[in-house]
C-alpha cells in the first residue's frame, strides 16, 4: 500500500527537499505541496493524503491552525516540522490534533520513519520535545491538582492503571508485564481509555494523565519501567 503525503512549508527549497526524500521511497507518494497553511488545508481536501507534514510558521494560516482544520476534515494525520524547539508550539500542535512533532534538522531516515509511524495510526515525538513537554507543561497542572479529576471517573480501575503506566512511558509489553496480563489485553485497555476519554492517540492520553493530576513529572516509575517523563519513539497503540 502506498502512503499518500502532502508537504507544506513556505520555504520552497525546504519543501522540495522533504518532498524529494519522501517521494524516493517505494511506499510513499507525495501528492501535493503547499506554501502556506491555507494551501495545505485545500490540498488535503483535494488529494486526501494519509499524512500531512506541516511547518509551524507559515503565512496566511500557520501550521497550528492548518493542523486544527485538517484534523476536523477526517482521517489525514499530521506531523509538525519546525526549526524552533519551543514548548509552546509543541503543546499547541498536540492540542490541535497533531500526531507527531519533529525538528527540521531531523535525519533523512527519521523523517521517513515518522511518516510511516504516523500513517499506521501511532504517534511520534522527537525525544527532546517529549521530555520538555512533560517537564515544563505538565508540572504546574499536576502540582495544583494531585487528585484525579472527574473526567477519569469513566475509567475502570484497570483502565486507570493502564493510563498511569502510559503516562510514565511504558510500552504495551512493559504494561503487560507490570499488570501481569497479555499484550492483547493491554491493547484493549488502551483502546478503551482513548475511546472513553475522547482522545486521538497515546500522546493525547499522556497529556490527559498529567493535566488531570493522575501523574506528575518527577513521580517514581513503576517496577523497573521507564522513567517518568520519558516518551517512547514511536508511541505504540
Amino acid at each position: 500500500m502506498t502512503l499518500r503525503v502532502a508537504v507544506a512549508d513556505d520555504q520552497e527549497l525546504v519543501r522540495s527537499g522533504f518532498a524529494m526524500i519522501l517521494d524516493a521511497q517505494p511506499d510513499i507518494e507525495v501528492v501535493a505541496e503547499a506554501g502556506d497553511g491555507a494551501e495545505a488545508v485545500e490540498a488535503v481536501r483535494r488529494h486526501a493524503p494519509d499524512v500531512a507534514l506541516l511547518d509551524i510558521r507559515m503565512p496566511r494560516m500557520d501550521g497550528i491552525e492548518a493542523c486544527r482544520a485538517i484534523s476536523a476534515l477526517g482521517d489525514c494525520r499530521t506531523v509538525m516540522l519546525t526549526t524552533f524547539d519551543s514548548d509552546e508550539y509543541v503543546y499547541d500542535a498536540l492540542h490541535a490534533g497533531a500526531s507527531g512533532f519533529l525538528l527540521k534538522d531531523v535525519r533523512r531516515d527519521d523523517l521517513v520513519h515518522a511518516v510511516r509511524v504516523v500513517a499506521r495510526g501511532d504517534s511520534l515525538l522527537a525525544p527532546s520535545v517529549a521530555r520538555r513537554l512533560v517537564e515544563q507543561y505538565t508540572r504546574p497542572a499536576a502540582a495544583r491538582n494531585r487528585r484525579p479529576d472527574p473526567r477519569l471517573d469513566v475509567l475502570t480501575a484497570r483502565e486507570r492503571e493502564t493510563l498511569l503506566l502510559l503516562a510514565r512511558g511504558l510500552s504495551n509489553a512493559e504494561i503487560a508485564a507490570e499488570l501481569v496480563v497479555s499484550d492483547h489485553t493491554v491493547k484493549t485497555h488502551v483502546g478503551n481509555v482513548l475511546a472513553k476519554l475522547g482522545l486521538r492517540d497515546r500522546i493525547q492520553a499522556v497529556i490527559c494523565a498529567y493535566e488531570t493530576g493522575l501523574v506528575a513529572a518527577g513521580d517514581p516509575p513503576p517496577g523497573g519501567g521507564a522513567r517518568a517523563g520519558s516518551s517512547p519513539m514511536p508511541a505504540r497503540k
Side-chain angles (χ1 to χ4, degrees):
M1 176 181 174
T2 300
L3 302 178
R4 296 165 55 82
V5 179
V7 180
D9 194 298
D10 60 322
Q11 296 181 348
E12 183 178 0
L13 289 178
V14 173
R15 182 174 73 243
S16 298
F18 285 132
M20 288 178 61
I21 290 171
L22 295 172
D23 226 12
Q25 306 304 311
D27 60 334
I28 297 176
E29 177 187 5
V30 175
V31 297
E33 295 184 32
D36 60 48
E39 289 182 7
V41 175
E42 180 57 31
V44 170
R45 285 197 182 101
R46 181 175 302 177
H47 299 282
D50 302 297
V51 177
L53 296 184
L54 303 177
D55 184 24
I56 290 284
R57 292 192 172 186
M58 293 188 289
R60 288 210 296 166
M61 178 187 290
D62 65 24
I64 302 296
E65 289 303 314
C67 176
R68 187 172 290 112
I70 289 170
S71 296
L73 288 176
D75 296 331
C76 180
R77 299 174 69 83
T78 56
V79 175
M80 311 305 296
L81 290 161
T82 183
T83 56
F84 303 96
D85 189 4
S86 165
D87 296 322
E88 181 179 359
Y89 293 135
V90 178
Y91 194 74
D92 290 346
L94 294 177
H95 277 276
S99 296
F101 197 105
L102 298 174
L103 302 182
K104 281 189 178 178
D105 62 0
V106 62
R107 296 182 306 173
R108 176 190 303 255
D109 290 346
D110 288 340
L111 174 65
V112 174
H113 175 67
V115 168
R116 291 172 178 155
V117 165
V118 169
R120 68 173 181 247
D122 293 334
S123 307
L124 184 146
L125 290 179
S128 63
V129 172
R131 182 176 62 253
R132 285 161 61 86
L133 174 69
V134 169
E135 290 178 352
Q136 297 190 24
Y137 271 85
T138 61
R139 189 189 304 271
R144 288 192 302 270
N145 180 21
R146 289 296 291 153
R147 298 183 63 184
D149 73 20
R151 279 180 287 174
L152 302 183
D153 290 346
V154 297
L155 303 180
T156 66
R158 185 47 60 93
E159 288 164 355
R160 191 173 296 203
E161 285 181 288
T162 300
L163 177 58
L164 175 66
L165 297 177
L166 271 177
R168 290 178 176 171
L170 273 65
S171 67
N172 280 2
E174 290 168 332
I175 294 174
E178 186 74 23
L179 300 181
V180 195
V181 297
S182 68
D183 286 355
H184 176 75
T185 299
V186 172
K187 289 181 181 179
T188 299
H189 289 328
V190 171
N192 289 342
V193 168
L194 299 182
K196 289 183 177 181
L197 297 178
L199 305 172
R200 183 183 179 95
D201 51 37
R202 290 173 69 114
I203 289 178
Q204 291 194 347
V206 171
I207 293 173
C208 178
Y210 280 92
E211 287 183 335
T212 57
L214 182 64
V215 66
D219 281 353
R227 297 186 308 274
S230 68
S231 180
M233 184 176 178
R236 296 176 293 278
K237 277 191 177 180

